[in-house]
Amino acid sequence: MERLREKAAAFGIKLSDHQLEQFETYYEMLVEKNKVMNLTAITEKNEVIDKHFADSLALIKSGVSLTGQKILDIGTGAGFPGIPLKIAFPELEIVLLDSLNKRIKFLNEVIEALGLEKITAIHGRAEDFAKQKEYREQFDYVVSRAVANLTVLSEYCLPYVKEDGYFLPYKSGDIKEEAANSKKAVKILGGSIEDIISFEIPDTDMARTILKIHKTKATPKRFPRKAGLPTKEPIC
C-alpha cells in the first residue's frame, strides 16, 4: 500500500498507517467477494490501487472542500469513489446508492469491517430516491463514476444536489464535445458547467477528467423522469 500512499501524496493527501490498513482490508474483501459475484474486472493489486483507489481520491483535483460535506455516490458499485473518499476523509458524511442489493450487502460488510461511521449504503434506483424529501436537494456534492452519457447522468444526479452545491462526475479522457452537448440539459436541470479538470493519475498513463457542475437553482420537480426515459429520450 506504499504505492497508494505515494499517489495520494501526489494529490496532496496524507494517508496514515491506519488508513492504509483500511485500504488493505478493503482490497482483500473486494478480491474475496469478487470470486462469488461480479464486483470488478480489475483485481490485480497495483491496478486496483491505480484504477480504483487513487482514481477515487482524485476528486480532490476538482478543488472542492472535503472537510465535512455530505456526499451522495450514485451507482457506487463496489464502493467507488465513496469508500476510498470516506477512508481518506473520515469527517465526510457519505451515502452510497446502488440498484443491486448484493452490492449493498457487500458494502455494509466493508463499512462494518473498517469501522467507518457516518456512511450509509442504500439499495434502490436513482430516479426513485430523488423524489423523496430526505434525499432530494440534500447533498453538498453528488459524485458518480458510472459509465453514462453526461446528459443522462445529469438528470439522475442533479436533483440530489442542494442549491450552490456541485455534481462532480468522473470521466475518461477528452469529454469537451460531450460536455458541450449536455449544456442545455444541465441548465434545464438547474446546473451550470463551471469547470472541466483533466489530469493523469500519478505515475500512470491514465487520463481522467472531473467536471465541476454548479447547482445554481432548484431542479424542476418533473425530473428525474421514470426509469428508461432519460436514456431513450435525453433532454435536448
Side-chain angles (χ1 to χ4, degrees), residues 106-124:
F106 166 70
L107 296 174
N108 280 323
E109 290 170 6
V110 172
I111 289 167
E112 184 176 358
L114 302 187
L116 301 178
E117 299 177 349
K118 293 199 300 182
I119 180 168
T120 307
I122 56 175
H123 170 234

Side-chain angles (χ1 to χ4, degrees), residues 16-156:
S16 67
D17 290 344
H18 174 64
Q19 287 168 315
L20 291 177
E21 288 170 7
Q22 288 178 308
F23 273 109
E24 181 73 43
T25 300
Y26 183 19
Y27 169 73
E28 291 170 357
M29 293 181 71
L30 176 68
V31 172
E32 187 62 29
K33 182 63 73 172
N34 206 60
K35 294 175 182 177
V36 295
M37 65 177 287
N38 182 28
L39 287 169
T40 176
I42 300 166
T43 56
E44 195 276 323
K45 193 169 190 177
N46 285 346
E47 280 199 288
V48 171
I49 287 172
D50 292 350
K51 297 179 180 180
H52 285 325
F53 293 170
D55 185 56
S56 295
L57 298 183
L59 185 70
I60 200 167
K61 296 287 286 185
S62 68
V64 298
S65 172
L66 296 172
T67 56
Q69 286 73 18
K70 188 175 182 180
I71 297 179
L72 173 64
D73 177 6
I74 289 185
T76 186
F80 307 119
I83 287 182
L85 288 170
K86 181 62 184 178
I87 294 172
F89 303 95
E91 64 276 15
L92 291 174
E93 181 179 349
I94 295 183
V95 176
L96 309 171
L97 174 63
D98 198 85
S99 60
L100 189 62
N101 200 35
K102 287 182 180 179
R103 294 193 196 113
I104 295 301
K105 289 179 179 178
F106 166 70
L107 296 174
N108 280 323
E109 290 170 6
V110 172
I111 289 167
E112 184 176 358
L114 302 187
L116 301 178
E117 299 177 349
K118 293 199 300 182
I119 180 168
T120 307
I122 56 175
H123 170 234
R125 301 182 67 91
E127 58 269 27
D128 296 330
F129 278 92
K131 301 294 185 182
Q132 299 181 23
K133 287 183 180 180
E134 61 264 44
Y135 294 102
R136 189 176 184 87
E137 297 185 331
Q138 295 299 310
F139 294 88
D140 299 296
Y141 312 137
V142 172
V143 297
S144 182
R145 293 205 319 164
V147 179
N149 178 275
L150 186 58
T151 297
V152 176
L153 200 57
S154 295
E155 182 169 349
Y156 287 130

